[in-house]
Amino acid sequence: MVFQQRLGTLFDKSERIAGLAGVIGERLGADRSEAERAGQLAKCDLMSEMVGEFPELQGIMGRYYAAHDGESEGVAGAMDEQYMPRFAGDQLPAHPVGQAVAIADKLDTLVGIFGIGQPPTGSKDPFALRRAALGILRTLIEQGLELDLSELIDESIAHYNAGGLAFDAGLDGQVFDFMMERLRVYYGDIGISVDVFEAVLAVRPTRPYDFDQRVRAVNAFRELAGAESLAAANKRASNILRQAGEKGEVLGDSDQVDGSLLQEPAEQALAERIAAVGAAVAPALERFDYTAALQQMAELREPVDAFFDQVMVMAEEDRVRRNRLVLLNRLRRLFLQVADVSQLQG
């Protein structure tokens, strides 16, 4: 039975699913061999007369067949869970082996169809890639799975390569970007504004669950009293740094503020507050508590406002000007550990 002419048979697909599910299952704490076994059997029930007569029973019959033949509970359950969610709002796979096979199956389809240059166009989506992408994202986010989407895409491509299919360079980026577009729709459907999504997307988190934690933190941050002012300050700082870069002022992430060159009280105060807040938010960032981190960063509003009101960043003296640019760069990098809040609209 052919899955897709250029991508091989359902057996070929099952072999790829098995390999990828084994990797995912192991990362989720499941037994790797059990996840691989579930992947190998995932499409067997499609050859049965029952599913041939009643296609809506795919997976359900697979679970019964697997249980009848003495497969483990995890393998049998994965036969059904691989297709979850079947529709918008449907339940998600709840068990590690089922989650591994569900993600592997959908990702294999996404990577393969994109790899042969047949992404969805307009309303045409014969392989239901939009639904597959959303199904993966919902599973990772709503089940709290700490998996790196970029790494999973690369794993899927590697399994195609091992089977003799070589795809063009850049495929990983195409699939990732497509899935980010589906994520944009996902957040729009639950009432998260586009600018909040863009603020997080700008720093390119590759773990969807982590992405979600950042989105919810930024959404809460924008309700704080100082959020609008800090967003505007970050935008102003970003523009100044970009213009300085265009003029040849190259700044490194490791550049440190030289305290001896801080001439104005406002820049001295800002440097002290950035250092203090940076140290204070470090523990929150280590435990991925982005909400707490942004709440602490919000305390920078007054020293930042004072800095822009009282200090000329582009001073004539080279060392003073560069030192002030380094100070702004530190401010930007502090916020960019969570999101680019300069993207937020008033």
Side-chain angles (χ1 to χ4, degrees):
M1 181 179 286
V2 175
F3 163 57
Q4 201 282 339
Q5 187 174 7
R6 292 173 61 187
L7 301 178
T9 64
L10 276 181
F11 174 77
D12 297 325
K13 181 175 177 63
S14 296
E15 289 293 289
R16 293 192 300 269
I17 292 173
L20 185 55
V23 172
I24 297 171
E26 192 169 56
R27 293 179 185 177
L28 294 178
D31 183 279
R32 180 169 187 150
S33 61
E34 195 172 46
E36 290 175 344
R37 177 66 173 169
Q40 290 168 343
L41 298 178
K43 305 304 176 184
C44 287
D45 69 337
L46 299 183
M47 304 304 295
S48 67
E49 292 184 8
M50 178 67 81
V51 175
E53 185 72 21
F54 303 102
E56 66 275 15
L57 293 180
Q58 65 179 6
I60 297 172
M61 290 310 303
R63 171 162 52 85
Y64 282 109
Y65 291 142
H68 179 270
D69 287 351
E71 299 293 341
S72 70
E73 186 177 337
V75 170
M79 299 301 97
D80 190 6
E81 288 191 319
Q82 66 175 304
Y83 294 105
M84 297 178 181
R86 289 179 169 86
F87 49 85
D90 187 25
Q91 67 186 92
L92 299 170
H95 304 95
V97 175
Q99 291 166 345
V101 178
I103 294 169
D105 180 20
K106 295 173 179 65
L107 194 56
D108 177 81
T109 300
L110 276 163
V111 167
I113 300 302
F114 265 85
I116 61 173
Q118 294 185 20
T121 55
S123 61
K124 295 182 179 180
D125 188 7
F127 285 89
L129 300 189
R130 295 185 181 97
R131 187 174 68 191
L134 188 56
I136 293 171
L137 293 167
R138 280 194 60 207
T139 300
L140 294 175
I141 291 171
E142 296 176 27
Q143 300 292 56
L145 306 183
E146 293 282 4
L147 295 174
D148 188 302
L149 181 58
S150 184
E151 290 179 1
L152 296 184
I153 292 169
D154 287 342
E155 284 281 354
S156 181
I157 292 172
H159 281 89
Y160 271 104
N161 290 341
L165 280 169
F167 295 135
D168 293 340
L171 174 60
D172 52 346
Q174 293 175 36
V175 176
F176 185 85
D177 290 343
F178 174 76
M179 296 188 72
M180 289 302 101
E181 285 303 308
R182 302 319 301 161
L183 195 55
R184 184 195 305 273
V185 174
Y186 171 81
Y187 284 117
D189 288 344
I190 61 176
I192 301 292
S193 63
V194 172
D195 60 331
V196 170
F197 172 81
E198 291 291 348
V200 177
L201 183 64
V203 299
R204 303 289 285 184
T206 54
R207 291 181 295 128
Y209 181 62
D210 178 68
F211 195 114
D212 186 67
Q213 300 299 101
R214 293 171 189 259
V215 163
R216 296 181 189 281
V218 174
N219 203 45
F221 169 78
R222 71 178 309 170
E223 302 301 321
L224 299 177
E228 186 173 347
S229 176
L230 282 168
N234 269 270
K235 186 175 297 184
R236 185 173 178 182
S238 178
N239 289 335
I240 291 172
L241 292 167
R242 176 179 52 79
Q243 291 167 5
E246 291 171 352
K247 294 177 181 178
E249 198 78 64
V250 180
L251 302 178
D253 288 346
S254 61
D255 288 348
Q256 298 298 314
V257 175
D258 185 341
S260 67
L261 294 175
L262 298 173
Q263 301 174 344
E264 303 292 338
E267 62 181 329
Q268 294 168 358
L270 180 58
E272 290 175 4
R273 291 302 301 146
I274 288 176
V277 171
V281 302
L285 292 172
E286 286 179 4
R287 63 177 185 270
F288 308 112
D289 187 349
Y290 300 116
T291 299
L294 284 175
Q295 286 175 343
Q296 290 175 300
M297 292 180 200
E299 297 174 6
L300 289 167
R301 179 184 61 166
E302 290 184 8
V304 167
D305 287 346
F307 175 84
F308 281 119
D309 286 343
Q310 301 170 28
V311 177
M312 175 66 71
V313 177
M314 303 305 286
E316 291 186 11
E317 187 179 342
D318 290 346
R319 292 194 308 157
V320 173
R321 180 179 65 252
R322 181 177 177 81
N323 202 50
R324 289 173 179 172
L325 289 171
V326 170
L327 182 59
L328 287 185
N329 196 38
R330 282 185 58 105
L331 174 69
R332 284 286 289 150
R333 283 168 43 216
L334 182 62
F335 279 89
L336 288 172
Q337 292 178 90
V338 180
D340 184 358
V341 298
S342 71
Q343 302 277 348
L344 297 179
Q345 306 297 317

